[in-house]
Amino acid sequence: MTWRASPSERERGTSSSGRDDIMTAVSIEPIGPLRLTDEDRMATEGYPWEEWDRLRRDAPVLWYEPPGDYEPFWSISRHADILTISKRSDVFVSRQRLRLFPRAIETHMNASREALEAQFGPANGAPLSFNDMDAPHHLKYRNLTSRYFTPRAMRAFEGKIASLATDHVSRFARRLAKVDGGNAPLDLVHDLAVKVPTAAIFQMLGVPPEQHSELFTLWESNMRLSPEERERQADQDIATVFFNPDGEGQRYLARMIDDARERGASADDLLAALLDARVDGEQLPQQALVAYVMLLIAAGLDTTRHATTGGVHLLLEHPDQLARLVADPSLIDSAVEEILRFTSPVIHFCRTAVADFEIGGQTIREGESVSLWYPSANRDEEVFDRPYEFDIARNPNPHLAFGGYGPHFCIGAHLARTQLRCVFRELLPLLPNLEVAGDLVRMRNLHVGGYTALPVRQRQASSRAS
């Protein structure tokens, strides 16, 4: 059941979650039924755009008790409210509930976290490193590597990323031309979109090139699946793949860190910085190192891969915008920002209030969590003119694809932007001759949205003629 709390409708009572001031046993008309936590819907229909539209208009701060096995939360759908909550890290914390999971998974994750914290302490035991932390630990750990992700650092690294983009796009183009004379499709996700971000983050970590294939193998083992395997695994994002302390992902990362210790990593790479790092005078234990590297890889792969795939699909579906970009490549920067706004790969993060807080005419009580819907913010009519129009020259474009500009703003935002600029710059000569050549496969995931498969091929003669 869904519950709506508005100042004019509140009645004394108790909801199933224990709140005693928001009991309204009426349907939330005119909003209608909501399916905000329906993973099957994400896979078959995509994002719930119409529901988010109604929520922004009629109930931008909504107490939501999901059907199924999820704990209730406040749904936050408006751009301004997401910004406000994101910037108030003194009131809204990450550690208690970072994402929406079914109760069984959430219970397991909380138990795992408690065990890790009991062994390593509240910071070093955080499963997703500083993403799982609040002040004062969060900034201390984030600052261990933040200098590697600044605009200045990205300008120095851009040449290497551009070289990676040239190499991988050229390989993709050659393979595309060879497969059945250009008539057969390739999967854009696996044959291109994942390549540059994987190689880039591994270079930054200082992992030798001969070890890169191990990550590709690990990635593809969770992405290239039979129908039966896809039902079980395909919709895991990289953070989930690596989360299991006894799983292949964490064992791989532990070996990678051990190898770096043995070879004496370069002083200019991320692994060396982490191996030399001190927090309050102490080195990071192995668990904290694994969690930190896991977070960097997860953040470096998921968003960029989905934005690349989604961006190609958008440009192929909007030939007028593609022609505009090909004619004026100086629009690459604004096109990348519009791709990020339109695809919004990160769907949500959660925060938990540590004090009562008034927002949107509602009182979020201490201990209650909120879900920040970033794609909804990126369609907010009060912020974006023509929000459902894909416009590669849109300016200004204050999207929240990387979060709400608070202390948890994505550390890799400049890296993602640099990669996307380089990849789309290389793709420009190729895109006018591409077409979608099969069914798109969406992720079944509430946290990261995008495609697990996007088949493309060279445009056929009949398509060019039309």
Side-chain angles (χ1 to χ4, degrees):
M1 176 176 287
T2 51
W3 298 86
R4 181 181 184 178
S6 64
S8 62
E9 293 176 343
R10 286 190 176 186
E11 301 172 6
R12 298 301 297 178
T14 304
S15 74
S16 63
S17 64
R19 289 212 56 165
D20 64 358
D21 67 341
I22 63 171
M23 178 70 174
T24 48
V26 296
S27 175
I28 55 171
E29 296 295 345
I31 299 172
L34 299 175
R35 297 159 59 198
L36 300 179
T37 56
D38 188 342
E39 291 184 327
D40 291 331
R41 184 256 187 82
M42 291 290 187
T44 58
E45 302 174 33
Y47 291 178
W49 295 115
E50 292 183 4
E51 293 168 32
W52 284 333
D53 289 347
R54 296 199 303 270
L55 288 173
R56 285 195 308 275
R57 182 184 65 239
D58 298 320
V61 180
L62 174 80
W63 180 249
Y64 182 58
E65 297 186 3
D69 198 26
Y70 286 85
E71 294 290 341
F73 58 88
W74 287 96
S75 168
I76 312 297
S77 53
R78 217 165 40 185
H79 189 284
D81 295 333
I82 291 175
L83 276 178
T84 296
I85 290 173
S86 298
K87 294 177 180 179
R88 290 300 306 270
S89 59
D90 58 323
V91 176
F92 293 96
V93 301
S94 299
R95 179 183 173 277
Q96 296 183 31
R97 189 183 191 185
L98 187 64
R99 288 165 49 176
L100 297 173
F101 288 106
R103 285 185 177 92
I105 296 177
E106 197 161 338
T107 298
H108 170 74
M109 293 177 68
N110 289 338
S112 298
R113 183 192 188 105
E114 289 174 4
L116 289 169
E117 289 183 351
Q119 183 175 359
F120 298 104
N124 288 328
L128 285 175
S129 192
F130 59 85
N131 210 27
D132 260 341
M133 299 179 195
D134 301 299
H137 302 299
H138 172 261
L139 189 59
K140 292 178 182 179
Y141 281 73
R142 182 183 173 105
N143 282 348
L144 297 179
T145 58
S146 59
R147 65 186 176 91
Y148 291 88
F149 297 95
T150 63
R152 180 179 180 181
M154 286 302 101
R155 286 192 293 271
F157 193 48
E158 185 163 4
K160 293 181 180 180
I161 295 176
S163 178
L164 290 172
T166 300
D167 180 36
H168 286 292
V169 172
S170 297
R171 292 185 191 184
F172 178 75
R174 290 194 297 270
R175 287 194 61 200
L176 198 65
K178 288 180 180 178
V179 178
D180 193 22
N183 295 319
L186 291 179
D187 181 4
L188 186 84
V189 177
H190 304 284
D191 294 314
L192 178 61
V194 71
K195 303 295 188 182
V196 173
T198 302
I201 194 63
F202 262 54
Q203 280 197 15
M204 293 181 70
L205 283 165
V207 178
E210 61 269 20
Q211 294 184 18
H212 290 195
S213 62
E214 291 188 64
L215 181 60
F216 286 131
T217 300
L218 179 62
W219 177 277
E220 292 195 354
S221 72
N222 286 277
M223 299 295 288
R224 281 197 186 279
L225 304 168
S226 68
E228 294 78 17
E229 291 170 323
R230 176 171 288 127
E231 178 67 24
R232 180 172 55 88
Q233 292 183 5
D235 306 300
Q236 295 180 347
D237 54 74
I238 272 291
T240 307
V241 171
F242 283 109
F243 183 82
N244 182 0
D246 299 318
E248 182 182 358
Q250 288 220 12
R251 291 197 302 270
Y252 173 84
L253 297 181
R255 291 195 305 270
M256 190 173 76
I257 292 167
D258 290 341
D259 289 345
R261 281 198 186 96
E262 291 179 6
R263 69 175 180 265
S266 162
D268 292 329
D269 63 54
L270 287 166
L271 273 178
L274 290 172
L275 289 170
D276 291 340
R278 300 290 189 279
V279 175
D280 297 332
E282 300 290 331
Q283 284 187 301
L284 275 63
Q286 183 81 342
Q287 163 60 30
L289 289 169
V290 169
Y292 206 119
V293 174
M294 177 181 70
L295 175 61
L296 293 178
I297 293 176
L301 294 182
D302 271 332
T303 301
T304 309
R305 174 177 77 90
H306 292 304
T308 300
T309 307
V312 168
H313 186 241
L314 279 168
L315 289 167
L316 296 181
E317 293 294 302
H318 296 81
D320 60 325
Q321 296 299 303
L322 175 57
R324 190 180 180 189
L325 185 58
V326 170
D328 185 3
S330 69
L331 292 172
I332 282 285
D333 285 5
S334 60
V336 163
E337 297 305 312
E338 182 70 341
I339 287 168
L340 286 165
R341 181 188 78 87
F342 224 80
T343 58
S344 294
V346 178
I347 302 171
H348 84 279
F349 271 110
C350 291
R351 302 287 184 262
T352 302
V354 295
D356 290 359
F357 191 82
E358 296 281 342
I359 188 169
Q362 307 294 346
T363 300
I364 297 174
R365 288 184 173 181
E366 178 183 355
E368 294 176 343
S369 61
V370 301
S371 178
L372 309 176
W373 301 114
Y374 303 115
S376 176
N378 289 337
R379 295 294 191 278
D380 193 330
E381 302 85 349
E382 295 184 6
V383 178
F384 301 99
D385 184 34
R386 301 166 288 110
Y388 282 93
E389 181 177 323
F390 180 60
D391 178 4
I392 64 166
R394 184 180 295 274
N395 185 34
N397 194 346
H399 64 77
L400 302 185
F402 295 113
Y405 293 94
H408 285 272
F409 183 76
C410 177
I411 193 173
H414 298 300
L415 173 62
R417 286 181 164 114
T418 302
Q419 292 175 357
L420 290 168
R421 287 196 300 268
C422 291
V423 168
F424 279 100
R425 193 175 289 121
E426 292 297 322
L427 277 172
L428 275 187
L430 186 63
L431 287 176
N433 295 314
L434 287 187
E435 64 181 7
V436 176
D439 294 333
L440 289 69
V441 182
R442 293 186 177 92
M443 290 189 72
R444 183 181 177 273
N445 196 291
L446 290 181
H447 177 57
V448 176
Y451 303 123
T452 61
L454 176 60
V456 297
R457 67 184 178 191
Q458 291 183 340
R459 292 185 70 195
Q460 305 301 292
S462 59
S463 299
R464 289 193 291 270
S466 62

